[in-house]
Amino acid sequence: ERHPFLYRHGGDVIRFGTYKDDTLVELSRMLDSDRTQPAFNRLKKVKGEQYVVNVVALDSVGWYLVDYVPLEKILSPITKSRNSFYIVLTLLLLLGLGAALMLYRNVQVPVRQLLLNMQRLRIGDFSARITHRPRSEFGILYERFNAMARQIQELIEKVYTEKLRSREATLKQLQAQINPHFLYNCLYYIKNMTRLGEGVAVETMALNLGEYYRYMTRHEKQTPRLEEEISLLRNYLEIQNLRMKRIRYEIDVPDSMFPIVIPRLLLQPLVENAIVHGIEPKVGEGRIRIAGRES
């Protein structure tokens, strides 16, 4: 809303509408005091309200055209734009914070839980599980992680159990190989032959006994050549023959078979059973024949 009027020095005023008389009086005084120039504008405060006053000289009639507008109305669009900007900026900030919070809760937190449990797996804690079940793709990922951790734990426990069983079996095998009764008999034989002064018998027994147990307690090769197994049989049969002095044995295996690889201790238990259960209970000599044939 604009309020133009004509003014002439001396206080003459021509109005073009309804005005506030007090405002018009104050503006007239301002114009008189300024000794108005041909054209200018001023910012004046009347009774606490700011006005923008524009003055143009009409030289042909000696009057001035005066137009005044409240400053508040001029600044009102700018104020509204500024307020709208602040409101939009605040909303955008709130939306950004909300999006960041959702991103943190739905992405950052699940990824952090996954990394922590992966770290537990890396240091050997195979009981690591993720109990949280989000309703997103991370839920499927967590299920896959738990399944993987469970399988790893089962495999580790299985390998550990198998290792314990292997050690136990190795120990039992070693204990079974070192037959105390057999060893005691050999040692008593050495003791008795020493008392009788039979040095050759003692030397033969000690040599065969040493070779026998050196092979029996060796575990680095589980598939030796047949030649090594035959050598073990000779040591064992010599020991038993020295003790019992009533065993005759014959080994008829061609040299062409010696490189053949066979499971360890495949033949010795058969020969031992033949002596323990076949010859020892009988009176008189016993004969053992070991023959090898290729086909």
Side-chain angles (χ1 to χ4, degrees), residues 172-187 209 212-213 216-217 236 240 243 268 272-273 276 280:
K172 289 182 178 179
Q173 181 186 12
L174 183 60
Q175 291 173 346
Q177 291 169 0
I178 303 177
N179 189 333
H181 182 68
F182 174 74
L183 180 60
Y184 294 156
N185 289 337
C186 294
L187 294 177
L209 187 64
Y212 175 80
Y213 276 111
M216 293 289 285
T217 57
Y236 180 73
Q240 293 289 16
R243 286 181 53 247
Q268 190 273 340
E272 182 176 357
N273 286 338
V276 173
E280 282 188 354

Side-chain angles (χ1 to χ4, degrees), residues 162-178 216-220 222 264-265:
E162 291 298 329
K163 186 177 294 185
L164 290 180
R165 290 178 179 173
S166 176
R167 291 180 179 179
E168 183 179 356
T170 301
L171 180 60
K172 289 182 178 179
Q173 181 186 12
L174 183 60
Q175 291 173 346
Q177 291 169 0
I178 303 177
M216 293 289 285
T217 57
R218 188 177 62 185
H219 295 278
E220 71 275 6
Q222 295 300 319
R264 191 169 183 269
L265 298 178

Side-chain angles (χ1 to χ4, degrees), residues 276-291:
V276 173
H277 302 290
I279 296 178
E280 282 188 354
K282 296 176 65 175
V283 179
E285 290 187 352
R287 180 171 177 267
I288 293 179
R289 182 172 184 270
I290 302 169

